[in-house]
Amino acid sequence: MGGELSIADVPLGPFEGSLVTVYSAKGKAAKLHVVRQCGQLRTSDVRTVDVLMEATTMRRLCSRCAAWGVWGRPTTGLGMFLGALGGTGLLYQLQSYTEPDEDECWTDEEARKAAVLLRAEQDPDGDGDGEEVEGGASLREAREDAERLRDLIFSHWRDAGGSLYRAQTVLAHFGWLEEWAKPSLTAKMRYVETLRAQAARFADPEELVVAAAATTLPMPELPCTAPAFAVLGGNSQVSAALADLWRRWQNAAGQSWEGPKARAYLSYEIVQSIRSNRKGYDAARAEAARLVESWEELARAAAKSADRIPARRLTAHVPQAPAITPHHEGRDFLEGLDAWTVGALVTWTVDTDLSSRVLTLEVPDPVAERLLGPASDLPCRPVDGTADLSEHDGVPPRQPDTIGPGIFDDTSVFDRRPVTHDHIRALRTFVHGADQLYLVFSASGGAEVLPLDTIERRLAKGWLGVLIAGASDLPASVIGLEKPAGSSPEPEVRDARQHVHDPYFGASLGLAEGGRRTLRHTYGTEDRNLNLRLLALARGAHDLRSLDTDRPGGLPVAVWHGLLAEDHLDFAPFRQPGSDRWRSGSGLPLGPLAAVQLYTTNANPLIEGKGHSPLCRHAHERAVVASDDLLTVADLMARTDFDWCSKCGGYALRRLTDSQQSYYRAAHRLHNIKRTLDGKGGISGTDASTMITHLEELAAWQPVDEEEWHGSDSWQWQDTVREFRRKVARSHTVTGPGEPVS
């Protein structure tokens, strides 16, 4: 594996022979491109070809596509594999941090001298800044140069460790690459160890032990009655100031390996609210300095009495980094650790396995107690020197499940393999912004729409299922992303209270308006396409509360606006008839509307707080969460004890299907006929003829998505239509053809 690595050198493993779509100019020797818009594809006559993925194909790729090309859909196994290779992925990492950088190179001797200089005693008053050292530079200039070199070495060590971590993360999920990558990986591990040893020279083990001991010290008796502190105020003020000084000192002493002089500034903080020319200022500061010095002595005494031999063996577990994609390297793998913890790692690390995110340390007792304590920035565990790490952790040693064809949407459903926790982890690792929703299938639950978090929780409990498709796998032709450019947009839905004969009556409650609302709340073409796909997949969830996730973010708010309607149903047709003409209903059955879902923050009147729509501002527009209450329209009609928010009405309505929306319109048309018949005046012959035509249409109403409508609701509907036809006939007979009642 000598020389520069290219994608043609990579073993393709189970993906060899897969069909991939490429683009090229005409000609047998023309370069292949993985994106049609590649800047190196300079022709108007572009050929689209499906070719087998093999070494000869990879060698024909243009340099830009080979390094940075995005192959097909990134959420497939093949897409993840190729995405993990290019950009700043595996190929880049295997060639980075394998040897000293030519532009920022230093010798081991230079690092040793810089460490000796920085650890040497320094005159606290700075009188030595003008002294010259080897080379003619002043002591201050030499220290500045040494500090820059120290920071550079630590930066390179962290970056090299992060690069090794990213490389090993990729190899762990694509096991067939390990043998091929072994030479480069060995060079990287050797260089990381060289940098660690150089960085360890700057971290003083004695001071690290003292710092660990300082964090365990109890607060000593504070000299609150000392005359020098009288300038701070009364006894309570002095006591509070000294207690605060102790906390500041203990915190500063425990976060670094630097000696007492790095904390000399603390004596000034106790008098920071006092004018420097005030009497007693200097005495208070000097007494505070002596007090801090006494605490330093306490820490050194505690460290001296402890066993300093690094005999305790620990394992430190590095937090998992975020997604690693061709254009997104993820954060520093040691991000968030304080200087003391980093110093402990460079000083006492004896073994590194970043593929498992585990560092093995041998440390003195005070350091072990600090790392194992609840305040440690790094999760650590004690390890028996003779025990295997995996045995101590309680899990058998194993490699993560390999990513190959048949896990994600890259084979027929018949050939899918059960998904595992390792597969989900790989998806989160290699796909930045992985799909939040997946259509899955299991023998226990059938086909379901689940968030990725829910799938992970089920897998932890032994769930066995396959992934059928994610949101990004849905066909654009079905969702409506491939409409002709010249097609006219759908008309804007107006108000939900149009006349019942308006073709858009109730349209604001339907699915079509949900799609428009999602687009209206979305910015950016890519986000619009993704949100429409998420909306289409989320509509398949039986209970929208199941779409809640433990992670921040979840489904975009724009998608929730597509799932839920903030307008409410008009229940007039479904109320029972009464003497009040304007409040009287028609007694129509709820029919398909009975099962329509309503979501509210609180449907229990015995629990304090009004019920709000999940999209209400009073609920912070947080969308539906698992703790919300679910009602149906039938539940709502059966109760009158709800305590609803006056702004949002208390709940959000799940958008009506086409059949539900059609029935809602038909019920209102029938109710409108009843109100006309209940009027004081009669009806003319023309109106009667029109009304009978409408009643015939309503009698023939059937659900959009079903062949026939049967059952008690259907019979009640037909009885109501027949009754209204008889009323029309009687009214027309009494008034005479074309003559209203006088």
Side-chain angles (χ1 to χ4, degrees):
M1 221 169 65
E4 185 174 348
L5 298 177
S6 71
I7 198 170
D9 301 319
V10 180
L12 301 177
F15 295 109
E16 186 165 9
S18 299
L19 275 178
V20 291
T21 301
V22 295
Y23 308 92
S24 71
K26 288 186 176 181
K28 292 184 178 180
K31 289 288 185 182
L32 302 180
H33 307 265
V34 299
V35 289
R36 192 183 186 93
Q37 296 78 20
C38 177
Q40 296 187 16
L41 183 56
R42 302 183 182 93
T43 179
S44 58
D45 188 8
V46 178
R47 298 173 57 217
T48 303
V49 187
D50 289 336
V51 297
L52 294 178
M53 178 174 288
E54 50 193 14
T56 55
T57 301
M58 304 308 244
R59 279 193 286 270
R60 288 185 58 191
L61 289 175
C62 81
S63 58
R64 177 177 296 182
C65 290
W68 298 97
V70 179
W71 296 71
R73 290 177 291 127
T75 54
T76 63
L78 179 60
M80 280 190 279
F81 172 62
L82 295 173
L85 296 178
T88 57
L90 181 63
L91 290 175
Y92 175 82
Q93 301 302 339
L94 288 179
Q95 299 173 90
S96 303
Y97 297 103
T98 57
E99 57 186 6
D101 192 337
E102 295 180 359
D103 297 330
E104 295 179 332
C105 187
W106 60 88
T107 65
D108 194 62
E109 180 64 18
E110 289 173 336
R112 186 190 65 79
K113 289 182 177 180
V116 170
L117 179 60
L118 291 179
R119 290 171 60 176
E121 288 292 327
Q122 176 182 308
D123 185 347
D125 295 326
D127 294 339
D129 285 352
E131 298 179 6
E132 289 191 359
V133 296
E134 184 180 352
S138 69
L139 181 58
R140 171 175 291 179
E141 292 173 344
R143 286 186 64 84
E144 289 176 352
D145 290 342
E147 288 172 351
R148 278 194 291 270
L149 181 56
R150 176 196 63 192
D151 295 343
L152 187 61
I153 290 174
F154 269 89
S155 175
H156 269 61
W157 172 67
R158 295 174 76 122
D159 291 344
S163 176
L164 177 61
Y165 170 42
R166 286 186 282 274
Q168 289 183 327
T169 298
V170 174
L171 294 173
H173 289 287
F174 306 103
W176 67 88
L177 298 177
E178 288 185 353
E179 190 64 30
W180 167 81
K182 191 172 182 178
S184 292
L185 212 59
T186 301
K188 289 180 71 65
M189 290 189 286
R190 189 185 303 118
Y191 185 55
V192 168
E193 177 57 25
T194 298
L195 292 171
R196 187 205 62 79
Q198 290 180 349
R201 289 198 175 104
F202 294 90
D204 190 341
E206 295 293 327
E207 293 298 338
L208 287 168
V209 174
V210 171
T215 60
T216 63
L217 292 176
M219 181 184 292
E221 184 178 353
L222 303 175
C224 301
T225 59
F229 293 130
V231 70
L232 301 178
N235 287 340
S236 61
Q237 293 171 305
V238 173
S239 177
L242 293 181
D244 182 64
L245 179 63
W246 164 261
R247 286 189 293 268
R248 288 172 180 264
W249 171 82
Q250 193 172 45
N251 183 61
Q255 288 188 347
S256 177
W257 64 73
E258 296 178 326
K261 291 182 176 60
R263 297 179 286 277
Y265 69 91
L266 290 171
S267 62
Y268 288 89
E269 293 195 355
I270 199 170
V271 292
Q272 62 183 353
S273 61
I274 303 173
R275 297 193 312 272
S276 59
N277 60 353
R278 182 177 174 180
K279 184 179 179 180
Y281 175 91
D282 292 333
R285 192 202 64 76
E287 185 65 23
R290 286 190 290 272
L291 186 60
V292 169
E293 186 176 349
S294 71
W295 295 340
E296 297 283 357
E297 291 301 324
L298 286 176
R300 291 188 177 279
K304 190 173 183 180
S305 64
D307 187 359
R308 300 194 181 194
I309 299 175
R312 297 279 296 277
R313 193 174 180 87
L314 309 178
T315 57
H317 297 255
V318 179
Q320 187 170 357
I324 302 171
T325 67
H327 304 281
H328 186 267
E329 291 191 33
R331 64 169 185 259
D332 178 2
F333 81 115
L334 296 179
E335 182 180 342
L337 302 183
D338 61 22
W340 182 89
T341 305
V342 173
L345 292 179
V346 300
T347 303
W348 289 298
T349 296
V350 295
D351 186 47
T352 301
D353 181 10
L354 290 179
S355 63
S356 301
R357 301 179 288 113
V358 173
L359 305 177
T360 304
L361 293 77
E362 290 182 353
V363 299
D365 282 339
V367 176
E369 296 303 322
R370 165 80 180 271
L371 290 173
L372 294 172
S376 175
D377 293 330
L378 197 63
C380 295
R381 296 180 182 179
V383 175
D384 184 354
T386 61
D388 181 74
L389 172 61
S390 59
E391 293 176 358
H392 173 78
D393 286 346
V395 293
R398 69 172 185 85
Q399 289 293 324
D401 292 329
T402 298
I403 298 298
I407 304 300
F408 303 98
D409 187 28
D410 48 10
T411 62
S412 65
V413 176
F414 181 81
D415 295 324
R416 295 290 165 84
R417 292 187 288 145
V419 66
T420 67
H421 199 274
D422 288 330
H423 298 148
I424 302 299
R425 186 183 299 115
L427 185 65
R428 292 197 186 280
T429 300
F430 299 120
V431 182
H432 183 57
D435 287 344
Q436 296 98 327
L437 295 181
Y438 273 84
L439 177 62
V440 303
F441 176 80
S442 66
S444 58
E448 301 173 274
V449 176
L450 298 176
L452 213 51
D453 285 354
T454 303
I455 298 173
E456 284 184 291
R457 288 195 297 269
R458 289 192 180 184
L459 288 170
K461 297 178 181 179
W463 181 76
L464 183 67
V466 297
L467 301 180
I468 297 178
S472 60
D473 301 321
L474 300 181
S477 57
V478 175
I479 297 174
L481 303 180
E482 298 181 347
K483 289 183 178 179
S487 61
S488 58
E490 295 187 49
E492 184 77 12
V493 172
R494 299 189 295 275
D495 195 278
R497 297 180 294 275
Q498 298 103 337
H499 190 273
V500 294
H501 294 292
D502 191 309
Y504 300 113
F505 176 80
S508 64
L509 304 170
L511 299 178
E513 176 63 9
R516 286 190 285 270
R517 291 289 178 94
T518 293
L519 293 178
R520 211 170 295 147
H521 286 82
T522 308
Y523 304 95
T525 303
E526 291 186 6
D527 289 341
R528 288 161 65 93
N529 292 343
L530 175 60
N531 283 350
L532 286 178
R533 293 175 186 273
L534 287 171
L535 174 62
L537 199 54
R539 283 172 174 165
H542 175 69
D543 184 346
L544 297 183
R545 295 176 298 180
S546 67
L547 304 182
D548 184 23
T549 65
D550 293 334
R551 296 174 183 263
L555 281 181
V557 175
V559 175
W560 286 110
H561 279 281
L563 292 170
L564 301 173
E566 297 176 80
D567 294 329
H568 289 180
L569 294 171
D570 180 358
F571 293 113
F574 314 105
R575 297 194 194 101
Q576 293 303 313
S579 58
D580 185 346
R581 177 190 172 195
W582 300 106
R583 297 283 299 171
S584 175
S586 297
L588 297 177
L590 286 173
L593 298 177
V596 172
Q597 295 176 345
L598 313 172
Y599 292 88
T600 177
T601 60
N602 181 17
N604 189 345
L606 300 180
I607 297 178
E608 184 179 1
K610 292 182 178 293
H612 298 275
S613 159
L615 299 177
C616 179
R617 291 184 179 180
H618 293 164
H620 308 292
E621 298 179 281
R622 56 166 173 71
V624 175
V625 297
S627 60
D628 283 343
D629 290 332
L630 170 61
L631 301 171
T632 63
V633 167
D635 298 330
L636 188 68
M637 294 287 289
R639 289 173 52 186
T640 59
D641 59 344
F642 296 109
D643 185 14
W644 295 140
C645 166
S646 61
K647 298 293 184 182
C648 67
Y651 59 86
L653 180 83
R654 185 162 184 174
R655 292 194 174 275
L656 305 183
T657 64
D658 292 342
S659 287
Q660 291 167 343
Q661 190 176 36
S662 174
Y663 181 74
Y664 180 68
R665 289 170 173 166
H668 272 273
R669 289 178 61 192
L670 193 57
H671 179 62
N672 186 64
I673 292 175
K674 175 186 180 298
R675 291 183 59 184
T676 302
L677 293 173
D678 289 346
K680 294 182 179 179
I683 55 175
S684 66
T686 304
D687 291 341
S689 176
T690 303
M691 201 172 290
I692 289 175
T693 301
H694 289 165
L695 287 170
E696 289 175 350
E697 294 173 357
L698 294 172
W701 183 87
Q702 290 291 336
V704 175
D705 51 2
E706 297 178 16
E707 292 184 1
E708 294 184 10
W709 186 28
H710 295 294
S712 60
D713 287 347
S714 174
W715 302 334
Q716 186 178 349
W717 175 269
Q718 296 296 337
D719 287 345
T720 304
V721 172
R722 283 192 291 268
E723 180 185 349
F724 288 175
R725 290 186 66 175
R726 287 193 294 268
K727 284 186 177 182
V728 171
R730 285 198 302 269
S731 177
H732 179 52
T733 302
V734 171
T735 59
E739 298 180 4
V741 176
S742 58

